Each structure stands twice: as structure tokens, then as C-alpha cells.
Amino acid sequence: MALLAGSARADPRLDEKVYLPYVEPHVLELETRWAREDGASSTVVEVEYGLSDRLTLAALGQTFHQPGRGQRLSGLGLEGVAYLGQIPGVGVDAGVYLEYRRGLAGEEDVAEGKLLLAKTVDRFQGALNLIVEKPVTAPKGQGAAAYGYAASLTWRTLGNLRLGAEAFGDLGDDRGLGFGGAYVGPQVKWEGRPGHLPVELAVDAGWLAAVGPARREGVGQARIGLEIERRF
């Protein structure tokens, strides 16, 4: 039940996605995300299990491919999502995300945290992730924490099909905050149960155009994600 995903080194990372704060208890999920930019790609495979209606834990592996250098295993990690509840008065659900990723093949170890926010009204769903990431094994003076965001707005149209847009951007680091460019583009999502199979599928696809300073990294990113879920 495992699938693959890809990403290239751009700002933001190609392996990033918009997380929701919700947790499904006793659900085993296999996820793969793929993204590509300027010939480089990365693959993420993630296995997640909902321990309760408040906490889920996952293990992940990532590969990175560069033209002329082939594909290599670039990282292994552990992550968790905890649902905190709804913010009174605004109807926004909140959660936190924590990850530690061990870098391989010359990559640094990284610790990452996110504040997860989401609001659903009828067919509309909006989500915002506020992100901080810090290299753990960087040389002294070079391990500044970086800040960013990931956001999506989608509307449920026909059946379980959702259409909308997503954005990933840079907000600077410890040395200075500010808009450092973004990737913005359309998003298509679908989830459902195929026939009488005891699993649920979710597909997430899109294309992002570089905006502002991000154009120095590349023109755009192609992305696709696939999830398989089974409740126990």
C-alpha cells in the first residue's frame, strides 16, 4: 500500500503540502507526493496511523533526483499531528504539526513545526499552515530558522470533486522577515471509495507558477499526491 512522490530544491520545497488539523482515529494511511521542477524531482512515501481523535503519527522516506546524478535516498523522518480544537468565536479548527527528518546523502537534519488552521463552511474549505523549519546539524552561524506558509482554498463541486487554488511561500528567516516569493496555482482534489474495496482513495493534483523572487528558483512546479486509507 505504498506510493511515491517527488520534489526539487526550490522555495518552498517541492515535498511540501497543505496539512489539515483533523485526525481520523484508527485509520492507516499510505501517502505519496510527487513534484517536479526544472528536471529535478523528489519522492516522498509516508505511512501514518491515527492513534486517537487527537493524535496521529507517521514515518516517511524521501528520495531526490537530479539530472546527471540519478536518484538517491535523501531523508528519513518521523512526524506527528495533534488536533487542538476549535478557536472560539471564529469557527477555525487548529492543530500542530511536528517533524524531525534525518538527512542522508549530504542533506542536513531538520526540525520542522507548523500551526495548522482550517475552516469549513458548506462546500467551502480553507486551510493555512504557518511553518518554521530549522537545520539541526548546520555549522555554527548557518542554522537560521526559516519561516513560510502553505495555504489552499477549495470548493466541492460535483460529488467528491473539489476545485480551487493553493499557494506556498517564503516569509524570511531569523536574519530578516519579509515576502521572499511564492508558488501559486490551481488545485484539483478527489476522494472516495472505489467500488466495494475496503479502502478510500484521495488524489490531489496541481501546477504552481513562481511569483516574485521565487522566479529565480524556477518557472513552476508540477505536483501530484495519492493517498490510500484503511480504517481498523
Side-chain angles (χ1 to χ4, degrees):
M1 288 170 53
L3 300 164
L4 301 176
S7 96
R9 292 303 181 206
D11 198 356
R13 298 195 321 263
L14 289 182
D15 60 347
E16 195 65 84
K17 76 167 189 174
V18 182
Y19 281 83
L20 296 173
Y22 310 116
V23 173
E24 294 187 84
H26 312 301
V27 171
L28 179 65
E29 177 181 315
L30 174 68
E31 177 181 358
T32 181
R33 298 190 300 276
W34 176 90
R36 180 181 176 87
E37 180 177 359
D38 295 337
S41 65
S42 166
T43 299
V44 177
V45 178
E46 185 173 313
V47 180
E48 178 181 309
Y49 185 71
L51 300 178
S52 70
D53 58 358
R54 292 275 178 172
L55 179 65
T56 182
L57 296 177
L60 62 91
Q62 179 179 1
T63 65
F64 184 65
H65 178 272
Q66 285 180 298
R69 296 186 59 185
Q71 186 162 325
R72 66 185 188 277
L73 181 63
S74 59
L76 298 171
L78 295 173
E79 68 178 44
V81 173
Y83 176 66
L84 301 180
Q86 193 169 91
I87 301 175
V90 295
V92 173
D93 294 302
V96 293
Y97 167 103
L98 296 174
E99 177 188 336
Y100 185 88
R101 186 170 61 256
R102 176 62 184 266
L104 303 173
E107 298 289 335
E108 297 174 341
D109 293 4
V110 173
E112 183 177 11
K114 303 178 185 181
L115 174 62
L116 312 179
L117 303 171
K119 185 176 180 65
T120 302
V121 180
D122 295 328
R123 293 175 174 265
F124 165 82
Q125 185 176 75
L128 173 65
N129 300 170
L130 299 176
I131 306 166
V132 57
E133 181 183 284
K134 183 174 178 59
V136 178
T137 55
K140 187 176 181 180
Q142 300 181 21
Y147 305 98
Y149 66 88
S152 70
L153 298 173
T154 62
W155 288 262
R156 183 164 52 85
T157 56
L158 300 175
N160 294 324
L161 179 66
R162 304 186 70 91
L163 302 177
E166 59 183 348
F168 301 83
D170 173 33
L171 296 175
D173 55 32
D174 287 343
R175 295 164 293 195
L177 300 178
F179 177 69
Y183 284 80
V184 182
Q187 182 182 27
V188 178
K189 300 179 70 174
W190 178 88
E191 59 182 72
R193 187 183 298 274
H196 298 288
L197 296 179
V199 298
E200 292 187 1
L201 297 180
V203 181
D204 186 343
W207 187 86
L208 303 174
V211 177
R215 292 185 61 84
R216 294 194 296 265
E217 303 287 347
V219 176
Q221 301 177 0
R223 292 168 169 259
I224 188 168
L226 179 61
E227 300 176 13
I228 300 176
E229 297 181 357
R230 172 72 184 271
R231 185 176 298 275
F232 291 90

